[in-house]
Amino acid sequence: MKTAWTEELCSSKPEQFEQLNAETWIQRKDIQRAPKKEDVPDPGFKCMSRMISTDVYEALQEEYESPVYKAIAEQQEGMDEANAEILLQQMQIQETQASQDDVLAEILLNIMEV
């Protein structure tokens, strides 16, 4: 049994898997801090969650322990790090371009004054 994914709000960081009873689990993904709001000092966490049966939970655990899944997860982690580095470099390029634009604008102003 698997139910549809729904959005869940939690006051504290939830676990990826939580057993409700002998046959039912909650599976969560995309766990992240909820966006801050003016009237709420600590909005907690938001995630997607669904109910799964014990047999689905056990199959997922088996899959997560497989060498293929672990290799894919490591590869994704490496790609995430590379993407973060690319974004940082793009930001540095934009800062450099903005600085150069300022210098060029000054040069043009000086030329026009002559």
Side-chain angles (χ1 to χ4, degrees):
M1 176 239 357
K2 292 186 215 176
T3 62
W5 290 102
T6 59
E7 188 170 293
E8 178 182 2
L9 298 173
C10 305
S11 59
S12 60
K13 188 172 183 178
E15 296 293 323
Q16 182 180 6
F17 292 99
E18 181 180 339
Q19 189 169 17
L20 296 179
N21 58 45
E23 291 299 317
T24 309
W25 291 75
I26 296 176
Q27 179 187 9
R28 296 182 178 96
K29 67 177 184 175
D30 303 330
I31 299 169
Q32 54 190 299
R33 279 230 167 255
K36 293 194 177 205
K37 297 179 182 177
E38 282 184 30
D39 56 338
V40 181
D42 183 9
F45 291 82
K46 70 175 188 172
C47 62
M48 298 302 291
S49 66
R50 69 179 178 178
M51 302 291 182
I52 59 173
S53 59
T54 297
D55 60 325
V56 172
Y57 168 79
E58 289 169 354
L60 285 170
Q61 293 306 311
E62 237 177 79
E63 183 179 326
Y64 291 156
E65 292 301 315
S66 76
V68 172
Y69 183 85
K70 287 180 180 182
I72 290 171
E74 287 175 14
Q75 183 180 23
Q76 182 64 46
E77 188 176 311
M79 288 171 43
D80 289 347
E81 289 174 12
N83 286 337
E85 183 64 32
I86 288 169
L87 288 174
L88 180 61
Q89 290 175 358
Q90 286 175 335
M91 191 173 74
Q92 291 170 341
I93 289 168
Q94 289 173 343
E95 289 172 358
T96 302
Q97 286 175 332
S99 173
Q100 290 173 348
D101 288 347
D102 292 343
V103 170
L104 288 174
E106 255 184 71
I107 291 171
L108 288 174
L109 285 173
N110 289 337
I111 290 173
M112 294 175 74
E113 290 176 358
V114 173

